[in-house]
Amino acid sequence: MADADARNRADRDLILAAAREAGRIALAFRDKGVRAWEKAKGDPVSEADIAADTYLQGALKPARPDYGWLSEETADDKSRLSAARSFVVDPIDGTRAFLKGRPEFVVSIGIVEAGRPVAAAIYDPSEDVAWDAVIDGGARRDGAAISVSTTRTLSRARLMGDPGRLPGIRALGATAETVNSVALRLARVAEGAFDGLIAERPKWDWDLAAGALLVTEAGGYITGRDGAALDFNAEPPRQPAPLAAGPALHALLRERLSQGDM
């Protein structure tokens, strides 16, 4: 167990340092002007995304040559499926916000083993804030331990979610707001700045892997909206629309969802 803990901490330190540098690369591109295009309709990417991804591959793959690789900006060659551990990377999560000059984007890196995240790093270059976690080792913001909200009611719950899609919960007194980056939403739930997250659509592994570990290591739950566990690095690397919160609020939100009254 001591060897496993040390390995997880070493992996956490590796990806945290890499996330910080990738964030600096992204900001440098934005400061000088950045070229962007669409991978598919409504799915933007920029030269900053590609440059950050290229840097991360160069920093992480040689350091852990036996690890698999899954990134939003790299073609998936499926070799990750036979690797014991895999990097799961979003070099810029929140590209739309990034291109609009809004500070709602992060670098998100997780390491997954046997379907579960074991190390995570999320870096917000606009605010110079970093969150990290290791499995069974807690979650941190800039090195200080964090924990999820202990809110047990919906009446004043602050949620990350689309306000227009949550009329039932808002009628009970909850509030809802959102940011472009899913990973940033999960980090804010993990640190207790928001009480929970409700997403409407499925997400890719690179959207959730790092943030999911932050939430669970901060004492919260994250599942699909139906309560199903998340299983990472499968084929396809796609997760159901997530629901995240502290234990008591997660149970309340699950009950409301099961009744179809949101």
Side-chain angles (χ1 to χ4, degrees), residues 158-171:
R158 295 186 66 210
L159 302 175
M160 294 249 72
D162 183 347
R165 295 179 181 272
L166 300 171
I169 287 179
R170 291 175 61 222

Side-chain angles (χ1 to χ4, degrees), residues 31-207:
D31 290 345
K32 70 179 184 181
V34 60
R35 185 171 62 90
W37 59 96
E38 287 193 338
K39 294 179 286 187
K41 187 173 177 58
D43 187 12
V45 65
S46 75
E47 58 186 339
D49 295 79
I50 304 305
D53 188 67
T54 299
Y55 163 76
L56 290 170
Q57 289 191 65
L60 298 177
K61 284 183 171 182
R64 300 289 188 272
D66 57 329
Y67 285 22
W69 182 264
L70 176 67
S71 169
E72 181 175 11
E73 309 306 344
T74 307
D76 183 10
D77 66 5
K78 307 295 193 295
S79 60
R80 62 185 173 81
L81 298 172
S82 59
R85 286 192 171 197
S86 291
F87 294 108
V88 180
V89 174
D90 198 336
I92 299 179
D93 184 49
T95 298
R96 289 185 184 86
F98 172 79
L99 292 173
K100 293 177 180 178
R102 299 203 310 261
E104 298 173 5
F105 65 93
V106 297
V107 180
S108 179
I109 309 173
I111 294 178
V112 172
E113 180 177 44
R116 299 176 63 195
V118 296
I122 294 175
Y123 178 60
D124 178 348
S126 301
E127 302 295 333
D128 190 23
V129 173
W131 299 264
D132 65 72
V134 292
I135 192 167
D136 299 327
R140 308 184 302 179
R141 172 182 164 138
D142 288 341
I146 56 175
S147 59
V148 295
S149 161
T150 58
T151 295
R152 304 177 63 87
T153 67
L154 293 171
S155 60
R156 284 182 294 275
R158 295 186 66 210
L159 302 175
M160 294 249 72
D162 183 347
R165 295 179 181 272
L166 300 171
I169 287 179
R170 291 175 61 222
L172 296 173
T175 60
E177 59 186 273
T178 193
V179 294
N180 187 214
S181 166
V182 181
L184 182 55
R185 293 177 226 167
L186 289 171
R188 290 180 173 176
V189 171
E191 70 182 8
F194 285 81
D195 301 311
L197 171 147
I198 304 174
E200 294 296 320
R201 293 182 293 276
K203 305 295 179 185
W204 295 102
D205 280 15
W206 49 76
D207 297 316

Side-chain angles (χ1 to χ4, degrees), residues 205-226:
D205 280 15
W206 49 76
D207 297 316
L208 300 182
L213 185 62
L214 287 179
V215 169
T216 57
E217 287 300 319
Y221 291 171
I222 180 167
T223 65
R225 287 166 58 112
D226 61 355

